[in-house]
Amino acid sequence: LTARSKPGRALSLAAALLGAGALLPSPAFGHGLVQRANLPLPEWLFAWAAGVVLVLSFVALAILWPQPRLERDRWRPLPGPLGWLLGSRVLEIALGAIGVGLLAIVLVAGFAGSQNALSNFAPTFVFITFWVGLAFASALCGDLFRAVNPWRAMGRAAGWIARRARPPRRPEPPPFPERVGVWPAVAGLLVFTWIELVSGWGEQPRTLAVLVALYSVVTLAGQARYGVERWSARGEAFSVYFNLLSRIAPFETRDRVVGVRPLLGGLPRLTIVPGTIAFVAVMIGTVTFDGLSQGRVWSSVRGPLEDAGTAIGLSLENADKVAATIGIVACVGLVVGFYALGSRYAHNLAPDLPAERLRRGFVHSLVPIALVYVAAHYLTFLLFEGQGIAYLLSDPLGRGWDLFGTASSAVDYGLISQNQAWYAQVACVVAGHVAALTLAHDRALALYGQARGAARSQYAMLVIMVGFTTLALWLLAQAGTA
Amino acid sequence: MTWRTSLLCAGLALAFGGCGSQSDSGAGGARSDRLVDFSKQPPYVNALDLDPDSGDFLLTTNRGFYRIDRDSDRVRPIQGRISAGDKRATVGTFLELAVEGPGRLIGSGHPDQEGMLPAFLGFIRSDDNGRTWKVVSRLGDADLHKIVLRHNRMYAFDAVLSALLVSRDGGRTFTEEFTPRGLIIDFEVDPSDPAHVVASNADQLFGSRDTGASWRPIDRRQGIRLAWTAPDKLYRALKDGSVETSADGGDTWKSAGRVDGEPYKFKAVGADELFLALSDGTIMHTTDGAKTWAAAFRP
């Protein structure tokens, strides 16, 4: 984009949208404000500041980023033997074995350990260390899950054994149906988040172990049908999830060599298949619901939904679950709709390209947003409750063991203050949305081939980014207001 | 701005502006709103204590500070005055208090009028049964939601810092340790161990063995209120009105009894004798370790 691309229009459009930021709840007097009571600035001011940063970033990109940079493949191996070492088969086998070992501990703890979720290894490991911790690690270090994925390790080991047992005539697995895309992974992710946020099963170690065992069976069956790598890339929800986030990281493994690339550099090379947009929408929408469910707005919506559920004969508990399920689906639908609206808007502004191509072309830019939604919402969860894994590892079954001498450790809630957490969350939100704008800008330059059309299309992306930023900050401000 | 942009803005405005408030019904049947304003957000009851001279209940709610005669059930509102420097305000609503001795109250809270004094009054003290108050420390910086006097120390939960404060000099200076996430709604100190603290937020119970420096989650229950009357007698009342006891500091619990309403504040007067204020200011009384309860006051 160039200075001729009317940044003034962008500014006026964005300024209008920034009004939404002012709608963040103001700090209430006294007890209405239960957290972050001593912020030096009101929360709405953070929203305004975040919006201003986005607009300035938009203008700066328009002026200073005239050529696509991230679209070009700039991967290079790590210097010396380090890249070969980190990508070696020996390390892959070792990490896979660790993954299988951790899966075994989860299953044993779930089935044979204490059924108090707070003293059992399985819930904390699955929902904090694995689900949240690995998301952060993937975005920083690359696709670690591919290395420690226990199902992939077991599938590859089984394949290796099968090849050695019957080497000559093993038929190739059938091709994965293209039209199915990543829809099995979408379903897997939606079911997992439903289990986490709605079902209450995560609080029951044995039930959780049953679910993990079932998922293992489904995954191994999928691998047996379509091949380990194909099923991991398309059907296995966690592989798709962590791979998407790992594309933000500056590290990538190719042909058993770990190399470096620009930050965000893996996302422009994301292959968009059927279900990719839905998968990203589920990533954002489910976290959105989790944030929403802790605030007053959801409290006021949930009541009538529960009443409707009980009126048709559901128990209050089941009515609550139905209400939450509706909430999750609605949040995912909201994200899909918002993105579709933005894509259509972009098409109207710059009709050179079909709307569908725009819709598919920019979805990779939502991945950093998905990450920062996770980061903003679960950062303190990981930093605080995540410490619990230290004592749970020493006593995974909750039987009073002290295997590693850490059983008497506890959680230090002074690791980061609430204000520091708030600053970190806001910084994450802003950085993620600036990253998304950058990706979208870079893609627009590549798609349109000329700055003018690219600039026009990006007004729509700015609308989307400011919308998601405001939503993210509003969700953070909502926490604890229920 | 196109119509789509306008529509989007309107949608955001609707989504973000629709913050309704909802009161918390809790357990129990009909509730009186004589002493409590249920149209406001919880908490409804902030403190319960006993005047050591008269035996009167001292109850603070989101409507104000009340002295309740135990024999006649007569309720007298008390509007205190607080001064700091040349500024003055009245206090009473949302007031945390604890009895330090005859006529001597300590507490924390907010001025009734905005703008007269800082929103957080810090640690305050009264030597005339709550009619006048002075700021002792942390004006503008602390909002103490509960105060426990035990082991020659003052323990308090500060909602501004989200920290457990401990003072050995009568509230002039404090050590600070961060508490678990979420608003701590109650905490207690082990009568036999000054470093052993249990605390609850809206849905979880935590324990600390190092005066709040680190915490372990113990149990998940809704709205836990606590009283620790003897080393082997830790009581908890749950949001649904059930009351349980623990002989091992909260690791295991036994059902003891039940009250009809949402429990808010315990006041222990012996190992087995306790009062329990419910959300509408009803005060229940037990003398048999929470097995049976009788109303000592109904608003």
Side-chain angles (χ1 to χ4, degrees), chain B residues 68-241:
Chain B
I68 301 165
D69 186 300
R70 286 173 64 179
D71 297 324
S72 66
D73 280 0
R74 191 165 69 98
V75 176
R76 277 189 297 142
I78 298 174
Q79 189 171 63
R81 296 186 311 280
I82 185 161
S83 57
D86 58 348
K87 294 185 176 172
R88 285 171 173 70
T90 60
V91 286
T93 53
F94 293 120
L95 181 68
E96 161 61 19
L97 67 79
V99 172
E100 200 180 36
R104 299 202 312 275
L105 307 180
I106 53 177
S108 184
H110 315 278
D112 291 336
Q113 304 84 16
E114 287 187 56
M116 306 295 288
L117 282 167
F120 307 119
L121 292 174
F123 176 54
I124 59 179
R125 183 187 299 279
S126 169
D127 293 322
D128 55 6
N129 277 314
R131 284 186 288 277
T132 61
W133 295 84
K134 295 273 187 201
V135 175
V136 178
S137 59
R138 300 211 168 196
L139 176 65
D141 292 328
D143 178 16
L144 309 181
H145 279 201
K146 181 169 181 180
I147 298 171
V148 173
L149 299 171
R150 188 161 274 178
H151 304 298
N152 293 319
R153 297 166 200 186
M154 189 182 99
Y155 301 76
F157 168 68
D158 177 16
V160 174
L161 283 178
S162 277
L164 181 70
L165 307 186
V166 181
S167 174
R168 291 166 180 265
D169 59 6
R172 284 185 290 279
T173 62
F174 297 88
T175 59
E176 302 163 350
E177 299 290 357
F178 287 107
T179 48
R181 288 194 303 156
L183 188 71
I184 296 298
I185 60 171
D186 208 349
F187 77 91
E188 267 294 349
V189 182
D190 187 340
S192 63
D193 181 358
H196 188 193
V197 182
V198 293
S200 57
N201 63 16
D203 55 12
Q204 234 173 330
L205 180 68
F206 299 85
S208 172
R209 297 275 179 179
D210 49 15
T211 329
S214 63
W215 299 83
R216 287 273 287 265
I218 298 174
D219 201 2
R220 289 193 207 279
R221 288 287 187 279
Q222 294 286 319
I224 296 174
R225 307 292 173 165
L226 298 158
W228 209 332
T229 61
D232 62 347
K233 284 198 174 158
L234 172 60
Y235 292 85
R236 74 176 180 190
L238 307 179
K239 192 170 185 173
D240 64 4

Side-chain angles (χ1 to χ4, degrees), chain B residues 48-67:
Chain B
L48 171 67
D49 214 323
L50 292 170
D51 183 324
D53 282 339
S54 63
D56 290 351
F57 292 120
L58 304 176
L59 183 76
T60 61
T61 74
N62 65 355
R63 279 198 198 280
F65 176 15
Y66 302 98
R67 174 178 285 273

